Amino acid sequence: MKRIKIAEVLNSSQVGDKIIVKGWVRAFRSNRFIQINDGSTINNIQAVVDFESFDEAVLKKITTGASVGLTGTLVESQGAGQSIELQVSEIEIIGEANPDDVQKTVMQPKKHSLEFLREQAHLRFRTNVFGAVFRIRHGVSFAIHKFFNDKGFYYLHTPIITGSDAEGAGEMFRVSTLDPKNPPLNEDGTVDFSEDFFGKQVNLTVSGQLEAELGALALGQVYTFGPTFRAENSNTSRHLAEFWMIEPEVAFNDIVDNMDLAEEMLKYICNYIMDHFADDLKFLSEREAAEQSSKPVNERAEMTLIERLTFVTQNDFKRITYTEAIEILVNSNHYKKKKFKYDVNWGTDLQSEHERYLVEKEFKRPVIITDYPASFKAFYMRQNDNCEAGKQTVAAMDILFPGIGEMIGGSQREERLDVLKQKLVDFNIHEEELSWYLETRKFGTVPHAGFGLGFERMVMFVTGMSNIRDVIPFPRTPKNAEF
Ligand code: 4AD
Ligand code: MG
């Protein structure tokens, strides 16, 4: 007999079927009822043992955390909570778990804080919360690939080791095989990277965009989906030093096409998860609701997780320009009552308190802000024509989500060689460094646009988890690279 997964048993097996299931014991009550889970679903199967038919020595090994194989027949359940259960005829103990050791871990069946669970990232997969989160993480990833594949995009693998700083923020991890104690030096005392593995200074990538643009300008529409690294010292609930990013890039698209694509993708992901991960979502939604009920009424979320996802799929995102955003903020009571910590000025970047105000108080839905000042956006963004003197803007777009802040950053790209060259001068970037990028503007250049979705931020929104460390299996943050 072949083992079947618990998800399949609960979905399609019938009373009378003889089956084998294998999994880990979640609980063993009254020497009679075993709850086991195999990761295929958040739901356990209940197995019933007639303790007189088994050796006491075997029964003793059925403890929380142990792995077992159970053979038996499906019967109608007498108890509440499940419609079928497994009447066990054979027990195989596959791997034991010492109860004293289990006591010290997240497997001990009681409520643990997410912080405690984070310390045991190697074991937290065994909990209901993280089982649900990581099944959904897979689902979001799969939905993204399906979305782009169905639209005829090509998945492009861009390099992880690179010499260029696409975002120009200089927050990169260096990759080197030089001896840190005794590196070769130039005459002026600086490190001689020509002796290094690649013969030059290289880093872990902060974005695959520039390479994706080269692909898009031949293949038409491509997307990347890979790890991204940022050495920014941000210890927040929304930043990781290693995160995953999805970057579509489309030839002939302008900024409006770009917004349409992003909005469609985000809605698609929410729908996909509601359609395919209903059990996990229900669990996370109820868990969040229970947590909310312990908060003061005015701090509670207005909608449940499932309501928020439904809301996103059914409502248009609000689209405003940066200039309009500044006007709304300056005219708000919040501003007049001096409730913002940071001032609001045309020409400075919005702080997260401003973004949250727009999304959570003013519009109560995802907001797309476009046409930011050129001064604080990356060099590759397309300069808008006909700007007021001293107020040069670029065709940028940021998509802001309630509870998350920036979910997507993107833009139409500067396709005009002369304008792009001037931007490099303005940004103090040497032309030689990006000569390969500039080449695309010489041979049949076209308008094109793309964006970057922070994968973990999307998983946060879809699972309702409030800390980004809880949606990636092994988080990397400043001073933390355990496991
Ligand atoms: O806005 P960013 O920096 O945009 C880019 O990198 C562009 N090259 C994208 C493009 O146009 N192709 O980053 C994109 C998204 C952000 O909106 C955010 O969701 C996420 O990546 N992100 C992070 N997520 C987790 N931890 C961090 N440290 C992040 N930094 C950015
Ligand atoms: Mg950004």
Side-chain angles (χ1 to χ4, degrees):
M1 228 188 320
K2 245 181 96 191
R3 100 167 162 109
I4 22 182
K5 282 184 268 158
I6 292 170
E8 206 182 315
V9 177
L10 298 178
N11 273 336
S12 47
S13 296
Q14 285 167 13
V15 167
D17 287 356
K18 200 156 188 249
I19 60 167
I20 301 181
V21 292
K22 294 184 179 178
W24 294 271
V25 175
R26 285 291 177 86
F28 186 27
R29 284 184 293 112
S30 323
N31 238 2
R32 192 166 158 73
F33 302 107
I34 315 174
Q35 297 286 335
I36 77 165
N37 187 281
D38 66 1
S40 61
T41 156
I42 191 154
N43 301 307
N44 303 330
I45 187 160
Q46 170 153 291
V48 187
V49 291
D50 196 352
F51 64 86
E52 281 154 1
S53 328
F54 296 94
D55 233 359
E56 214 188 310
V58 172
L59 294 180
K60 266 205 161 131
K61 290 179 182 165
I62 305 176
T63 57
T64 299
S67 49
V68 294
L70 303 175
T71 308
T73 309
L74 288 173
V75 296
E76 248 171 66
S77 177
Q78 306 301 311
Q82 64 277 319
S83 59
I84 49 168
E85 59 193 21
L86 186 66
Q87 184 67 50
V88 178
S89 56
E90 262 173 65
I91 299 174
E92 181 195 0
I93 305 291
I94 300 171
E96 295 175 38
N98 180 333
D100 292 337
D101 293 339
V102 168
Q103 277 286 318
K104 296 173 208 143
T105 74
V106 302
M107 281 183 282
Q108 189 202 8
K110 65 166 219 185
K111 211 169 158 19
H112 304 286
S113 73
L114 293 173
E115 288 78 10
F116 178 67
L117 294 174
R118 237 172 266 150
E119 287 168 20
Q120 296 185 14
H122 54 306
L123 295 174
R124 66 180 178 169
F125 294 106
R126 293 278 188 96
T127 64
N128 279 332
V129 178
F130 286 93
V133 166
F134 292 125
R135 275 186 295 273
I136 290 179
R137 184 180 162 106
H138 159 80
V140 174
S141 162
F142 187 79
I144 290 168
H145 283 299
K146 182 162 165 50
F147 175 80
F148 285 116
N149 182 64
D150 290 354
K151 282 188 170 297
F153 279 66
Y154 302 111
Y155 178 23
L156 192 74
H157 296 99
T158 50
I160 289 172
I161 298 175
T162 168
S164 61
D165 177 6
E167 294 307 300
E171 292 160 332
M172 293 178 298
F173 292 101
R174 178 173 301 153
V175 179
S176 171
T177 54
L178 294 178
D179 178 0
K181 277 198 233 122
N182 189 21
L185 299 178
N186 294 311
E187 277 175 10
D188 61 1
T190 56
V191 175
D192 179 8
F193 286 103
S194 70
E195 299 270 312
D196 206 346
F197 189 91
F198 294 103
K200 63 185 225 174
Q201 206 173 317
V202 293
N203 308 292
L204 295 179
T205 187
V206 296
S207 159
Q209 177 198 323
L210 302 188
E211 291 89 352
E213 282 187 53
L214 312 193
L217 294 173
L219 294 163
Q221 32 184 29
V222 300
Y223 70 104
T224 73
F225 190 157
T228 317
F229 307 87
R230 299 209 178 164
E232 46 188 340
N233 199 3
S234 309
N235 239 322
T236 80
S237 58
R238 295 173 304 120
H239 287 90
L240 290 165
E242 175 181 299
F243 63 100
W244 289 66
M245 194 169 16
I246 295 91
E247 295 183 278
E249 194 68 37
V250 186
F252 310 107
N253 263 12
D254 64 16
I255 185 77
V256 178
D257 302 323
N258 206 32
M259 287 191 269
D260 292 345
L261 179 68
E263 184 167 341
E264 189 187 343
M265 177 194 71
L266 294 169
K267 288 178 168 168
Y268 181 92
I269 297 169
C270 295
N271 271 322
Y272 187 89
I273 297 302
M274 287 193 287
D275 288 349
H276 294 85
F277 292 84
D279 288 346
D280 290 314
L281 209 52
K282 182 165 169 280
F283 172 84
L284 291 172
S285 197
E286 286 170 2
R287 173 187 168 276
E288 190 195 73
E291 219 168 60
Q292 292 288 327
S293 64
S294 65
K295 287 188 181 170
V297 178
N298 60 343
E299 282 174 27
R300 289 183 200 165
E302 279 170 34
M303 287 186 243
T304 66
L305 172 59
I306 294 175
E307 284 166 350
R308 291 201 298 276
L309 296 182
T310 309
F311 183 87
V312 163
T313 61
Q314 292 181 348
N315 290 282
D316 288 342
F317 294 5
K318 181 73 192 173
R319 300 180 183 193
I320 56 170
T321 65
Y322 167 87
T323 304
E324 287 164 346
I326 295 290
E327 274 165 28
I328 293 167
L329 289 169
V330 168
N331 290 318
S332 67
N333 280 331
H334 213 76
Y335 181 81
K336 288 174 186 153
K337 289 186 188 156
K338 298 198 177 358
K339 284 193 184 162
F340 290 122
K341 196 169 147 218
Y342 295 90
D343 200 13
V344 184
N345 277 314
W346 200 101
T348 46
D349 205 355
L350 299 175
Q351 297 293 326
S352 80
E353 58 171 351
H354 306 136
E355 297 179 342
R356 293 193 72 148
Y357 177 86
L358 292 168
V359 172
E360 289 161 24
K361 297 269 182 324
E362 180 75 21
F363 296 114
K364 297 184 192 293
R365 64 177 65 194
V367 176
I368 311 183
I369 303 184
T370 58
D371 305 297
Y372 284 83
S375 55
F376 58 81
K377 287 291 186 187
F379 75 93
Y380 52 71
M381 297 190 180
R382 191 180 195 280
Q383 295 234 8
N384 286 325
D385 304 318
N386 307 324
C387 293
E388 235 181 272
K391 289 198 165 179
Q392 179 64 55
T393 57
V394 287
M397 62 170 218
D398 274 8
I399 304 189
L400 312 176
F401 261 57
I404 309 281
E406 185 186 328
M407 180 73 86
I408 279 181
S411 72
Q412 187 173 333
R413 318 307 189 189
E414 186 54 76
E415 84 283 13
R416 297 161 296 188
L417 182 63
D418 51 334
V419 184
L420 190 55
K421 277 186 166 176
Q422 183 55 47
K423 285 295 278 278
L424 292 184
V425 174
D426 297 345
F427 279 73
N428 224 340
I429 303 169
H430 297 294
E431 218 177 272
E432 317 83 77
E433 268 174 48
L434 286 175
S435 55
W436 52 272
Y437 180 74
L438 294 175
E439 291 275 285
T440 55
R441 273 57 171 177
K442 291 183 194 163
F443 310 109
T445 189
V446 295
H448 60 288
F451 59 82
L453 166 68
F455 180 62
E456 282 76 19
R457 293 199 185 166
M458 189 61 196
V459 180
M460 282 175 80
F461 182 72
V462 174
T463 57
M465 301 302 280
S466 53
N467 193 312
I468 200 163
R469 295 166 176 83
D470 295 328
V471 298
I472 186 164
F474 301 103
R476 268 83 184 95
T477 50
K479 299 277 179 288
N480 170 41
E482 187 72 16
F483 315 108

